[in-house]
Amino acid sequence: MNYTLNQLRVFLKIVQTESVTKASEELFLSQPAVSIQLKNFQDQFPIPLTEVVGRKIQITDFGREIAESAEQILQQVQAIDFKTAAYKGLLAGRLRISIVSTAKYVMPYFLTDFMNLHPEVKLQMDVTNKQKVIESLENNEIDFALVSLLPSKMKVEKLDLLDNNLYLVGKTGIDFKPDQKVEEIFKNLPLIFREEGSGTRQTMEKFIEDQNLTVIKRMELATNEAVKQSILAGLGFSIMPLIGLRNELETGKLQIIPCPGLPITTEWQLIWREGKKHSPVSEEFLAYLKIHKEEIIADKFAWCN
């Protein structure tokens, strides 16, 4: 056997994604490069690691066992790297964060300088839907989550990071009369909703309920990015967080529609399980945020406050 750590990483990612294409995307490698690594790794075993059924790759039982061993080996290698850094007096370890999709416009700015200060810290950040974020928190698989609405059935501690302002948004070129009542604005407005469970959707539905509005539901989409692209295409309107709209507003592709009761302001909150024992890395990150968050907000988010 003469396999390399890189081959182990590539094979493990293929198993996790069950796709050479997705593995190449997540590893930032070309698809041919991933295929070559897989072939070279497979050539060292007399038993198939994968099978191709139709056009889909299937992992054999033997392949899954090898993947489990590969994951353990890579974890041990990372542990060696962390211990080496610790002996050198450097902060080292893994910072695990899960965020809802819209938070991708927020979280990176609170991470950049911290990661630059501590190059031995490895970041694992999952961008997914709210349900999976909460599941990761419940299962203690992550250090922190970033959400705009707190989970209702879990005790958490939190650090408020940034205001989350939501406005009624539409494509430019459509005029709205000034000083219209909220009922008149929404009367014939086709609305685009986020999926069930989304914090943005919950906020939007509460506004509709509080205002006692009858609305036209045009469609339901899984991400704020999909909602934004649909608005740009002229498919409808939505109540959306301002944070992801900077470019479209500055270039005049989208407009904020003045509406009584808007904006709605929630809060981007970094949360963790109540009583969680933080690792040295997560404890240091939390301390860093408490000291620097106002400075980061002033530097990176002044435009949306």
Side-chain angles (χ1 to χ4, degrees):
M1 294 290 178
N2 194 30
Y3 46 77
T4 66
L5 292 176
N6 190 45
Q7 287 172 352
L8 292 177
R9 290 190 185 95
V10 169
F11 180 65
L12 181 58
K13 185 60 67 175
I14 290 171
V15 173
Q16 290 170 341
T17 60
E18 297 187 339
S19 167
V20 171
T21 301
K22 290 180 181 178
S24 66
E25 291 171 354
E26 294 192 16
L27 292 167
F28 301 101
L29 296 171
S30 69
Q31 189 170 329
V34 170
S35 297
I36 290 169
Q37 292 288 356
L38 175 61
K39 181 182 182 303
N40 291 341
F41 190 56
Q42 173 64 82
D43 287 346
Q44 299 179 70
F45 298 93
I47 304 170
L49 300 170
T50 63
E51 296 174 338
V52 177
V53 180
R55 299 182 65 181
K56 184 174 175 61
I57 192 169
Q58 302 283 348
I59 314 301
T60 64
D61 290 342
F62 177 67
R64 293 196 180 279
E65 290 190 20
I66 295 300
E68 289 180 10
S69 297
E71 186 171 20
Q72 292 172 8
I73 291 168
L74 292 171
Q75 287 174 350
Q76 289 300 314
V77 170
Q78 191 169 71
I80 291 171
D81 292 340
F82 291 159
K83 288 177 181 178
T84 302
Y87 268 92
K88 291 163 63 178
L90 301 173
L91 181 68
R94 181 174 295 189
L95 181 61
R96 302 168 302 166
I97 301 174
S98 186
I99 65 175
V100 294
S101 60
T102 310
K104 65 179 179 286
Y105 300 109
V106 177
M107 196 71 242
Y109 295 101
F110 288 95
L111 283 162
T112 301
D113 287 346
F114 177 81
M115 297 301 295
N116 289 336
L117 282 170
H118 304 289
E120 300 300 324
V121 171
K122 306 299 180 186
L123 174 64
Q124 177 184 319
M125 187 166 72
D126 187 27
V127 183
T128 184
N129 59 46
K130 185 181 177 184
Q131 180 181 344
K132 291 183 179 178
V133 168
I134 301 306
E135 285 177 0
S136 296
L137 204 62
E138 287 176 337
N139 296 333
N140 202 29
E141 297 169 347
I142 55 175
D143 300 307
F144 301 108
L146 186 63
V147 296
S148 60
L149 292 177
L150 293 176
S152 58
K153 298 180 181 179
M154 189 191 328
K155 291 183 178 180
V156 298
E157 298 177 65
K158 68 185 180 74
L159 175 66
D160 292 341
L161 288 186
L162 182 71
D163 285 347
N164 182 37
N165 298 310
L166 294 91
Y167 291 84
L168 179 61
V169 179
K171 188 178 180 181
T172 51
I174 303 172
D175 294 328
F176 288 83
K177 295 178 182 178
D179 304 321
Q180 275 187 301
K181 293 182 179 180
V182 65
E183 299 88 351
E184 295 172 346
I185 294 173
F186 281 87
K187 183 178 180 181
N188 298 309
L189 212 61
L191 291 181
I192 302 172
F193 283 68
R194 281 289 306 276
E195 82 285 7
E196 288 282 355
S198 157
T200 299
R201 176 171 178 147
Q202 290 176 32
T203 302
M204 182 172 170
E205 288 182 331
K206 186 176 187 303
F207 173 79
I208 291 169
E209 181 181 348
D210 289 348
Q211 297 288 337
N212 195 27
L213 299 174
T214 300
V215 300
I216 304 168
K217 183 177 178 182
R218 170 64 62 84
M219 64 178 70
E220 181 179 303
L221 297 171
T223 67
N224 271 29
E225 189 64 30
V227 173
K228 180 170 69 175
Q229 293 303 321
S230 296
I231 296 173
L232 287 167
L235 289 173
F237 300 77
S238 193
I239 295 175
M240 296 189 66
L242 180 65
I243 194 71
L245 304 174
R246 183 176 187 177
N247 181 61
E248 289 76 17
L249 292 171
E250 289 181 348
T251 56
K253 294 178 181 178
L254 292 180
Q255 64 172 321
I256 290 174
I257 300 160
C259 178
L262 295 176
I264 303 163
T265 300
T266 61
E267 193 83 21
W268 286 112
Q269 300 163 103
L270 193 74
I271 63 174
W272 57 96
R273 289 181 57 165
E274 185 178 77
K276 181 177 177 60
K277 294 182 178 179
H278 287 293
S279 68
V281 169
S282 60
E283 189 171 8
E284 185 68 22
F285 180 58
L286 199 55
Y288 166 86
L289 287 179
K290 289 176 180 178
I291 294 171
H292 295 286
K293 73 167 188 171
E294 296 301 332
E295 172 189 335
I296 295 168
I297 291 169
D299 184 38
K300 303 298 183 183
F301 300 103
W303 70 272
C304 62
N305 286 336

